[in-house]
Amino acid sequence: FKSGIPKCTSLGGVWGRALNLCLPAASLLYPYGPAQRDHKTPKLDDGTSKKLSLAVPFTFYTKEYQALYVNNNGVISFDTRVNQYTPDPFPLADGRPFVAPYWADVDNVNGGDIFYRETTDPTLLARITEDINQYFPRIPFTATWAFVATWDHVAYYGSTTNKGNTFQAVLTTDTETSFIILNYWDIQWTTGAASDGDAETGLGGTPAHAGFNSGDDTNYYNIPGSQTEAIINITQTSNVNVPGRWVFQVDDFKVTGVPTEVPKVANGKSCWL
């Protein structure tokens, strides 16, 4: 999978507590792709999936949703499609409720795919449960459902290079408590050309935004570094001591213990931030 280079020694990484060693960075991502029978969004600039009905309701900021959209531009939305390619900071004036793993001008016509699936696979749910229990030991949780969306080496609008971003969002619930896991495996660009970014570097202009918008003016969260050049370092930042991973309880959203400033990047010899 990928290069197999241990992320802990060169790029940051995941620490296996039980084994007391660094695991390959690929373990950050949950399985995705054709082998998992994933669906794909259309090859369309600013495109989205169809409206996806969920087998179980997902609670986001105290509201239950039974459908969502996977939007090519790095957004999972609950009420309406999101074609907007230049991100706005949260809270949004128009009240759209959504999670933005990496809201920017993705163009999968230029390269990459956006995969998604709804799943009750026991192996995956057991892995998600183990992870959530490690990060939130005081919250009883056993995952019974998950939705996995993965942006696989996606290009940016106006790109003249082969740069691609790979990141993932996982929604999971036990029917009462809900979590969202954001995994950032490889981020090579921050901005599309239509957002005043450089076509050759994918940098500059209005950089990507990451976070959550509840739909009201009160409950939202902007991941540190959003809409600044620092967002390219999100693969090395975390709120759960796993570089490249951000995890949030979202049924009744809480930011307890979540950094409010851009975290310092770990050096090459450390697994933890």
Side-chain angles (χ1 to χ4, degrees), residues 6 23 61 83 95 110 132 166 188 199 222 230 254:
L23 303 175
Y61 286 102
N83 303 107
N110 277 342
I132 296 295
T166 299
Q188 300 181 359
N222 300 308
K254 300 176 179 66

Side-chain angles (χ1 to χ4, degrees), residues 54 56-67 78-79 173 175-176 178 251:
L54 305 178
V56 299
F58 184 78
T59 304
F60 183 67
Y61 286 102
T62 72
K63 295 182 179 181
E64 287 190 350
Y65 295 94
Q66 294 204 253
F78 296 101
D79 276 348
T173 185
T175 71
E176 293 184 0
S178 301
D251 53 285

Side-chain angles (χ1 to χ4, degrees), residues 4 11 16 36 50 70 122-123 151 181 255 261 272:
L11 302 170
Q36 304 300 319
K50 62 182 180 180
V70 178
T123 302
W151 286 255
I181 303 169
V255 296
E261 298 179 357
W272 294 116

